Structures are given as C-alpha cells and as structure tokens.
Amino acid sequence: MAFFLRLILLISFLVYLGAFSWGLYSSDEEYKQIFIKMLTSAAGLSIIVAFFALWLTLENFLRKTNLNISGKVEVFSISELNKKESYDSGVSSFQLNNYKDKTVIIYKVFLKIEKGHFIKLLDVRKKPILLKAYDTHFHDFKQPLFYNLANTPKRISRIDLTKSSLYLDTNEGRYKVRKAIKHWNPSANKILIPLTTDCNYELGKRFIVTDHNWLNRDYYIEFDQEDIEISGITISLKEINDSKELESLLNLKFSAISRFSVSEPSKDVANEYPQWKDSTFL
C-alpha cells in the first residue's frame, strides 16, 4: 500500500511537470512568456510546494500505519561428527528492529523452517514484548537438546536454519519479519582482533618487589632506577639482570626470617602470552 501511494503521488507530480513542459514547448512565444510567469508566480510555486508538503504528510502517515520490522537470526553450529550424541541445532539469538513511529506488541515469536514447520522461540503472552517506535529488541537462547512435534521427539540438525524466516504474533496479527542487512566483515588480513586480559601487569615497571614480612607490601622499581631502599638499607640495582637475581640478593641481605619475592611484569606477560614478545609494529 505504501509503495502505491508514493507511486501515485510521484506520477501526479510528473504529470503536472510534463503538462507544463509540453505547453511551454508547443506554444507561441507570447504564450511561453505567460507559462513562465505562471510557473514563477506565487501560485505556480505554491503548487510545487504543495506537492512536497503532501509527500511529507504521506510519509508521516505511513510511519504510523502497518508494520515495518526487520530481523536478524543467529544459530548454533553443531559438530558434523557424532551428531546423535550432540545438542541439536537451534537459534542462539534474534534481533528485531522497528522502523515505524509506533509501538508493536509481540505475543509470540516463531521461526519458519522447511516443510512448513515452525519452531516456537518465545511465548510471552503473559508479559508481551513492547517493541517501541524505532527501537530494537534482542533475545538469546540456550542450545536445545531436541524438539517435540505433537509429542514426538524430532531432530533438525540437517536443516539450514539460516534460510528460515521469523514470524511474529502481534497486536496487528501475523507478521513476517523482513530480512535485516547481512553481516559485513572486511578482509581477514585487515582485521585486528584485540587480545585483552583481566590482569594488571604493570608493564611500565621493571620489577615489583613484595615484602611478605609487612603484609605483602609492594615496591615498584622503574626501568631507569639505580637503587632501592628497604627498611633503611639501600640496595644497588646496577648489576641486577633479572628478577631471580634481585630476589636472591634481597633474601640474602636481610635476616633469614625475611622473605621477599620479585616479579618481572614483562616476563610474566611473555610466559602467559608467548606470542606477545613476537609481536611487531603495524
């Protein structure tokens, strides 16, 4: 309906311009001047403005009529081997996008698959989804073991769910969700994938000395630091090459009951992520 209303309005505008252009082209010079004055007059311009105003009015009207919802479905991938003992295939998540200036009430969500069957994804009649104007709804699921069809157990591992369609039971009846824009990815050799960690390795420090005799008090040693003072004793770092040397020196320097441990952040990261030390600059 929306397409035809837009088409009718566009054809009317083109007919108006065509008729005016034909009259201007086929008339004598005297009448051409009259046509030009008509077009450039307030009345002529107001007709053109009226067409644009009518178009905007139509667009505002269409935004509040019918439904325009797009959807995107993600599915679980299952192993090709030993399917009999694995989880079944199913929808891992779906997303709905409302492109209308009105709220849609959704009671049920189905996925239509081969042979006219439907997978019931959601039944929320007691607490419907309120998909507000220009809003998005996302829902994820656990992977199913199998399905029940009229109390008969069924598996659908051989069906390609990516080619299926979402159907909604809404306050305006059944609605088939139109396909959303497909996923986009740049070339694989152009994608940088971040590798993050929950640990704070203090990579800006050369060593971290922990004095276990003082409730695990930490001393941070900078890369250009030449000595460290602990309990009034100054320890030179000029001949220290790694954390093991410093740890041995500290435990030797202080009494036998003193206990120190030394970590080297850069080596901790290298041990945890061996590829980190092999990384190069982009």
Side-chain angles (χ1 to χ4, degrees):
M1 178 183 175
F3 171 77
F4 289 108
L5 289 175
R6 292 188 181 100
L7 184 61
I8 291 171
L9 186 59
L10 179 61
I11 291 174
S12 301
F13 182 64
L14 292 177
V15 168
Y16 168 76
L17 291 180
F20 197 92
S21 300
W22 176 82
L24 185 64
Y25 176 77
S26 61
S27 299
D28 296 333
E29 188 65 32
E30 179 182 353
Y31 290 102
K32 285 183 180 180
Q33 296 299 322
I34 295 175
F35 272 108
I36 292 173
K37 287 182 180 179
M38 288 175 59
L39 181 63
T40 56
S41 66
L45 292 175
S46 64
I47 293 175
I48 296 176
V49 172
F51 270 110
F52 284 104
L54 187 58
W55 188 282
L56 290 175
T57 302
L58 175 63
E59 291 298 326
N60 286 330
F61 169 74
L62 292 175
R63 277 201 295 268
K64 296 181 181 293
T65 59
N66 300 323
L67 299 179
N68 186 3
I69 302 173
S70 72
K72 181 171 62 177
V73 174
E74 301 287 349
V75 300
F76 289 105
S77 59
I78 63 172
S79 173
E80 290 297 323
L81 301 175
N82 199 24
K83 283 185 179 179
K84 199 68 178 176
E85 283 73 37
S86 69
Y87 283 87
D88 205 349
S89 58
V91 173
S92 61
S93 67
F94 71 78
Q95 178 180 313
L96 299 174
N97 309 296
N98 186 7
Y99 293 101
K100 289 288 187 175
D101 187 16
K102 66 180 198 177
T103 298
V104 181
I105 304 174
I106 300 173
Y107 305 108
K108 298 178 186 177
V109 181
F110 294 90
L111 186 75
K112 187 177 182 180
I113 59 176
E114 294 177 3
K115 301 179 182 180
H117 291 98
F118 292 84
I119 298 176
K120 184 167 70 174
L121 300 178
L122 280 181
D123 186 349
V124 288
R125 285 172 292 179
K126 293 183 179 180
K127 192 176 181 181
I129 297 170
L130 300 181
L131 188 59
K132 297 181 180 179
Y134 307 112
D135 201 4
T136 297
H137 177 81
F138 179 84
H139 201 100
D140 58 2
F141 302 93
K142 294 180 179 179
Q143 189 165 5
L145 282 172
F146 63 96
Y147 295 85
N148 272 322
L149 177 63
N151 293 324
T152 303
K154 294 289 183 181
R155 286 179 175 268
I156 61 169
S157 304
R158 298 175 183 177
I159 297 177
D160 185 2
L161 297 183
T162 60
K163 297 180 180 179
S164 305
S165 301
L166 279 172
Y167 279 78
L168 309 178
D169 177 24
T170 74
N171 58 316
E172 297 192 22
R174 187 185 76 163
Y175 180 78
K176 180 182 178 181
V177 177
R178 65 183 180 87
K179 295 290 185 181
I181 298 173
K182 294 182 179 179
H183 285 299
W184 170 84
N185 265 320
S187 300
N189 60 349
K190 297 293 183 181
I191 300 177
L192 292 164
I193 301 174
L195 195 154
T196 60
T197 173
D198 293 331
C199 298
N200 180 10
Y201 285 102
E202 298 285 357
L203 285 171
K205 309 300 180 183
R206 183 185 176 191
F207 299 115
I208 300 176
V209 177
T210 301
D211 184 353
H212 297 284
N213 302 287
W214 293 91
L215 298 177
N216 297 333
R217 179 183 176 183
D218 290 331
Y219 298 87
Y220 295 92
I221 300 176
E222 307 292 341
F223 279 93
D224 58 351
Q225 192 170 330
E226 295 184 352
D227 53 53
I228 181 176
E229 184 175 331
I230 299 177
S231 300
I233 298 176
T234 301
I235 307 294
S236 175
L237 303 172
K238 293 181 180 179
E239 303 299 326
I240 299 298
N241 296 311
D242 56 39
S243 57
K244 292 298 181 184
E245 287 187 9
L246 181 57
E247 185 175 309
S248 298
L249 178 62
L250 290 172
N251 286 317
L252 182 64
K253 199 79 173 177
F254 290 84
S255 62
I257 61 171
S258 298
R259 189 165 61 90
F260 293 88
S261 64
V262 180
S263 63
E264 197 167 350
S266 60
K267 286 190 176 180
D268 291 341
V269 176
N271 291 333
E272 188 74 20
Y273 304 99
Q275 67 273 35
W276 175 74
K277 60 182 179 182
D278 299 326
S279 60
T280 58
F281 287 99
L282 189 65

Short mmCIF file of all heavy atoms in Angstrom, two decimals, residues 8 35 44 92-93 118 141-142 161 197 243 245 267:
data_model
loop_
_atom_site.label_atom_id
_atom_site.label_comp_id
_atom_site.label_asym_id
_atom_site.label_seq_id
_atom_site.Cartn_x
_atom_site.Cartn_y
_atom_site.Cartn_z
N ILE A 8 1.63 6.87 -6.82
CA ILE A 8 0.56 7.74 -7.32
C ILE A 8 0.94 9.21 -7.17
O ILE A 8 0.75 10.03 -8.08
CB ILE A 8 -0.76 7.44 -6.60
CG1 ILE A 8 -1.28 6.06 -7.02
CG2 ILE A 8 -1.80 8.50 -6.89
CD1 ILE A 8 -2.45 5.57 -6.20
N PHE A 35 3.36 31.16 -19.68
CA PHE A 35 3.65 29.94 -18.93
C PHE A 35 4.78 30.14 -17.92
O PHE A 35 4.72 29.66 -16.79
CB PHE A 35 4.02 28.81 -19.91
CG PHE A 35 2.83 28.05 -20.41
CD1 PHE A 35 2.40 28.20 -21.73
CD2 PHE A 35 2.14 27.18 -19.59
CE1 PHE A 35 1.31 27.50 -22.20
CE2 PHE A 35 1.05 26.47 -20.06
CZ PHE A 35 0.62 26.63 -21.38
N GLY A 44 2.13 29.39 -8.90
CA GLY A 44 2.84 28.27 -9.51
C GLY A 44 3.79 27.59 -8.54
O GLY A 44 3.86 26.36 -8.46
N SER A 92 20.39 -19.28 18.40
CA SER A 92 21.13 -18.80 19.58
C SER A 92 20.65 -17.41 20.00
O SER A 92 20.68 -17.07 21.17
CB SER A 92 22.62 -18.77 19.29
OG SER A 92 22.92 -17.89 18.22
N SER A 93 20.19 -16.61 19.03
CA SER A 93 19.67 -15.28 19.36
C SER A 93 18.93 -14.72 18.16
O SER A 93 19.12 -15.17 17.03
CB SER A 93 20.81 -14.33 19.76
OG SER A 93 21.65 -14.07 18.66
N PHE A 118 7.19 -24.81 12.17
CA PHE A 118 7.58 -23.62 12.91
C PHE A 118 8.26 -24.03 14.22
O PHE A 118 7.75 -24.91 14.93
CB PHE A 118 6.37 -22.74 13.23
CG PHE A 118 5.74 -22.08 12.04
CD1 PHE A 118 4.81 -22.78 11.27
CD2 PHE A 118 6.07 -20.80 11.68
CE1 PHE A 118 4.22 -22.19 10.17
CE2 PHE A 118 5.48 -20.18 10.59
CZ PHE A 118 4.55 -20.89 9.82
N PHE A 141 19.17 -17.47 23.51
CA PHE A 141 18.61 -18.74 23.94
C PHE A 141 19.71 -19.74 24.28
O PHE A 141 20.85 -19.60 23.84
CB PHE A 141 17.75 -19.36 22.82
CG PHE A 141 16.64 -18.48 22.35
CD1 PHE A 141 16.83 -17.63 21.27
CD2 PHE A 141 15.40 -18.50 22.97
CE1 PHE A 141 15.81 -16.81 20.82
CE2 PHE A 141 14.37 -17.69 22.52
CZ PHE A 141 14.58 -16.84 21.45
N LYS A 142 19.33 -20.77 25.05
CA LYS A 142 20.21 -21.90 25.28
C LYS A 142 20.06 -22.89 24.13
O LYS A 142 19.01 -22.96 23.49
CB LYS A 142 19.86 -22.59 26.60
CG LYS A 142 20.12 -21.72 27.83
CD LYS A 142 19.75 -22.47 29.10
CE LYS A 142 20.02 -21.62 30.34
NZ LYS A 142 19.65 -22.33 31.59
N LEU A 161 19.05 -23.53 9.17
CA LEU A 161 18.20 -22.53 9.81
C LEU A 161 18.48 -21.11 9.34
O LEU A 161 17.67 -20.21 9.55
CB LEU A 161 18.35 -22.62 11.33
CG LEU A 161 17.92 -23.93 11.98
CD1 LEU A 161 18.06 -23.84 13.49
CD2 LEU A 161 16.49 -24.28 11.61
N THR A 197 43.20 -8.77 28.77
CA THR A 197 43.42 -9.58 29.97
C THR A 197 42.86 -8.84 31.17
O THR A 197 42.81 -7.60 31.20
CB THR A 197 44.92 -9.84 30.17
OG1 THR A 197 45.10 -10.50 31.43
CG2 THR A 197 45.72 -8.56 30.15
N SER A 243 64.78 -10.79 37.71
CA SER A 243 64.05 -10.83 38.98
C SER A 243 64.64 -11.88 39.94
O SER A 243 64.64 -11.67 41.16
CB SER A 243 62.57 -11.14 38.73
OG SER A 243 62.42 -12.35 38.03
N GLU A 245 67.79 -12.77 40.32
CA GLU A 245 68.98 -12.20 40.96
C GLU A 245 68.60 -11.25 42.07
O GLU A 245 69.17 -11.28 43.17
CB GLU A 245 69.85 -11.49 39.93
CG GLU A 245 70.59 -12.42 38.99
CD GLU A 245 71.55 -11.65 38.10
OE1 GLU A 245 71.76 -10.44 38.34
OE2 GLU A 245 72.09 -12.25 37.15
N LYS A 267 58.21 -10.32 31.76
CA LYS A 267 58.38 -11.77 31.64
C LYS A 267 57.11 -12.52 32.00
O LYS A 267 56.82 -13.58 31.43
CB LYS A 267 59.54 -12.23 32.53
CG LYS A 267 60.91 -11.87 31.97
CD LYS A 267 62.02 -12.54 32.75
CE LYS A 267 63.39 -12.26 32.11
NZ LYS A 267 64.49 -12.91 32.85
#
